[in-house]
Amino acid sequence: MKLGSPDRNKGGAQMSSVTISLGAAGDVLARSGLFPSRRAPRLRREAIAQPVDRSLPPLRIALLVPFHGADAIWGPSCQYSAVMAAAELNAKGGILGRQIELLAADAGGDPAEVEGRVRALLASDAPEVLIGVHLSSVRERLSRAFGGSLPYVFTPLYEGGIRECGTFAIGDTPQAQLAGPVDHLIRSESAQRWFLLGHDYVWPRKTHAWLSQHLTARGAEVVGEAYQPLSEEDFEPLLDWIEAAQPDMVMQSLVGSACLEFNRAFARRGLSQKILRLSGALEENTLMALEPAARENLYCASSYFSSLNTPGNQAFQQRYYAVFGKNAPVQSVLSISCYEGMHFLAALTAQAGSLRLPRLEEAFRSGLWFEAARGPVRLKNGNVVAPSYLARAGATGFDIVARFDS
């Protein structure tokens, strides 16, 4: 499907276009009503118009985002941000002089099933790069299956310590994301007693392992720790445990729809009035679905919020809504990582001068700068160097409380 189909603008140049094939993911989207008739987001024709060089074969990039499962709530926003990034890059000559074609595969649900969908996409459409915005449990499966065969850019926040061949992780690690906000809450809110709650997979467990050590070093105490299967949304037994433990703060490493259900159940118990909560994965799409009572005393730590009042984010928001219109889905730290992953790939390949993995890995280790919604971002020693923010859930979005420079 063409987004911004080739046309002539007033100056006579051909419209920069982005091709995206939704495949089976389109059926899921059509059933959801988010993109009727398998349509992907459509660019306004006047928004990005530059001459297009068609002399080189297109670069096919497989976009792996969730269209069903616990994390599907941010899938549409990911699509929009990826299409915008691809259009911007194509208008500047593409990647390595090649125009980008986006292919989409559903990265939600069971990791083994996601692997099967990616194998089918590789066989049918032969993408040369994978860009994933999905759970770390899926990343582990895909890295084992395809590591070393093609570049795989993993963009969301993650647990750190990746040593998987051909996988380039650019998201926030626990230390970068949480250290400043946690210290601030200990000082300003007297949050001394912490209960750690997460989904039962690698990201929450490793994040909480780091956090437990950090809290101990700061003189705080972990009074409870529990993990819930991704498929389970009954939190009543856990709420009994939390209530009995009497924490000052509940750290919740829950994703998507379960995050909604937990915070709603927490508010129904009346706990939101007396116990603080901090999330590492609560994003704008989830927040918008929460009732006012469920937002009370709810914080989030992140390197990006759509409400950031920075020149880079203001310029991005202006471009985004100019391209897609005022009803486009809100962008968050998870979906915006998809946009940043595309621009990171462009910077990485430009520095490497190739898509060959050894050269890409050398460029990754040596460091680089790339464009991001929040402004230019630096990659140093394999980690992104960027501020982290603490925000409080407000009536219409996140209210920034403090910034912490890395």
Side-chain angles (χ1 to χ4, degrees), residues 127-182:
E128 297 177 62
V129 180
L130 307 178
I131 293 184
V133 189
H134 47 66
L135 302 185
S136 285
S137 51
V138 171
R139 186 208 71 239
E140 289 184 317
R141 179 85 185 206
L142 297 184
S143 290
R144 287 194 300 268
F146 309 111
S149 60
L150 77 171
Y152 174 25
V153 180
F154 182 68
T155 69
L157 52 96
Y158 73 113
E159 63 279 2
I162 286 182
R163 295 293 183 269
E164 298 155 356
C165 179
T167 301
F168 303 94
I170 62 170
D172 300 328
T173 60
Q175 182 173 357
Q177 178 191 14
L178 296 174
V182 167

Side-chain angles (χ1 to χ4, degrees), residues 23 41 56 82 110 156 165 179 261:
L56 295 173
D110 182 77
C165 179
E261 295 309 315

Side-chain angles (χ1 to χ4, degrees), residues 263-332:
N263 285 292
R264 286 169 173 166
F266 199 85
R268 286 196 299 270
R269 283 277 188 112
L271 298 178
S272 60
Q273 300 173 9
K274 55 187 178 181
I275 300 175
L276 304 174
R277 284 154 294 150
L278 174 65
S279 174
L282 177 68
E283 46 79 63
E284 281 81 350
N285 290 288
T286 309
L287 181 65
M288 288 168 61
L290 284 175
E291 298 76 14
R295 301 181 183 203
E296 188 175 4
N297 288 318
L298 178 59
Y299 291 88
C300 183
S302 177
S303 61
Y304 178 84
F305 294 97
S306 63
S307 57
L308 280 181
N309 188 22
T310 64
N313 186 50
Q314 288 177 334
F316 169 80
Q317 294 284 337
Q318 200 169 39
R319 294 196 311 276
Y320 178 72
Y321 289 108
V323 166
F324 292 117
K326 64 180 182 179
N327 294 322
V330 66
Q331 290 295 316
S332 69

Side-chain angles (χ1 to χ4, degrees), residues 97-404:
R98 299 165 64 185
Q99 293 287 290
I100 296 166
E101 288 187 3
L102 287 177
L103 308 168
D106 181 6
D110 182 77
E113 294 179 0
V114 177
E115 179 189 339
R117 294 181 205 122
V118 175
R119 286 193 184 280
L121 188 65
L122 288 168
S124 63
D125 294 284
E128 297 177 62
V129 180
L130 307 178
I131 293 184
V133 189
H134 47 66
L135 302 185
S136 285
S137 51
V138 171
R139 186 208 71 239
E140 289 184 317
R141 179 85 185 206
L142 297 184
S143 290
R144 287 194 300 268
F146 309 111
S149 60
L150 77 171
Y152 174 25
V153 180
F154 182 68
T155 69
L157 52 96
Y158 73 113
E159 63 279 2
I162 286 182
R163 295 293 183 269
E164 298 155 356
C165 179
T167 301
F168 303 94
I170 62 170
D172 300 328
T173 60
Q175 182 173 357
Q177 178 191 14
L178 296 174
V182 167
D183 291 351
H184 179 89
L185 290 167
I186 290 173
R187 292 191 307 268
S188 66
E189 300 292 343
S190 300
Q192 294 293 322
R193 294 169 56 83
W194 289 64
F195 193 104
L196 311 183
L197 171 64
H199 274 134
D200 191 9
Y201 72 101
V202 61
W203 170 67
R205 285 189 173 275
K206 288 195 174 182
T207 295
H208 292 176
W210 175 87
L211 181 56
S212 294
Q213 293 182 342
H214 185 80
L215 290 169
T216 299
R218 297 299 188 271
E221 179 185 5
V222 176
V223 297
E225 186 171 357
Y227 296 93
Q228 186 95 322
L230 283 162
S231 59
E232 179 59 67
E233 294 191 354
D234 178 10
F235 289 98
E236 293 303 320
L238 287 175
L239 289 173
D240 292 338
W241 187 0
I242 291 170
E243 199 165 11
Q246 298 183 323
D248 302 316
M249 176 71 72
V250 175
M251 173 66 194
Q252 48 177 290
S253 298
L254 302 169
V255 297
S257 59
C259 188
L260 281 175
E261 295 309 315
F262 171 76
N263 285 292
R264 286 169 173 166
F266 199 85
R268 286 196 299 270
R269 283 277 188 112
L271 298 178
S272 60
Q273 300 173 9
K274 55 187 178 181
I275 300 175
L276 304 174
R277 284 154 294 150
L278 174 65
S279 174
L282 177 68
E283 46 79 63
E284 281 81 350
N285 290 288
T286 309
L287 181 65
M288 288 168 61
L290 284 175
E291 298 76 14
R295 301 181 183 203
E296 188 175 4
N297 288 318
L298 178 59
Y299 291 88
C300 183
S302 177
S303 61
Y304 178 84
F305 294 97
S306 63
S307 57
L308 280 181
N309 188 22
T310 64
N313 186 50
Q314 288 177 334
F316 169 80
Q317 294 284 337
Q318 200 169 39
R319 294 196 311 276
Y320 178 72
Y321 289 108
V323 166
F324 292 117
K326 64 180 182 179
N327 294 322
V330 66
Q331 290 295 316
S332 69
V333 67
L334 294 167
S335 59
I336 212 67
S337 76
C338 202
Y339 174 89
E340 296 181 354
M342 298 284 291
H343 282 281
F344 161 77
L345 177 66
L348 183 69
T349 54
Q351 184 157 313
S354 170
L355 281 171
R356 293 180 59 244
L357 283 177
R359 295 179 68 172
L360 292 174
E361 289 177 339
E362 181 181 353
F364 186 75
R365 289 190 297 269
S366 66
L368 51 83
W369 289 83
F370 63 93
E371 289 298 318
R374 44 199 156 153
V377 168
R378 184 185 182 191
L379 182 81
K380 182 180 179 182
N381 299 323
N383 294 301
V384 167
V385 180
S388 179
Y389 299 88
L390 177 67
R392 188 166 186 155
T396 58
F398 285 109
D399 300 324
I400 307 299
V401 174
R403 165 179 166 153
F404 309 92

Side-chain angles (χ1 to χ4, degrees), residues 14-69:
Q14 194 177 48
M15 172 72 186
S16 176
S17 66
V18 181
T19 298
I20 184 165
S21 172
L22 296 178
D27 296 328
V28 177
L29 289 173
R31 289 195 298 272
S32 73
L34 294 169
F35 297 110
S37 303
R38 298 165 59 91
R39 287 203 306 265
R42 180 172 295 278
L43 294 169
R44 289 183 172 181
R45 291 190 173 189
E46 68 273 17
I48 300 174
Q50 294 290 336
V52 175
D53 181 4
R54 303 282 183 188
S55 61
L56 295 173
L59 175 62
R60 291 186 164 188
I61 298 175
L63 179 64
L64 313 179
V65 298
F67 296 130
H68 84 288

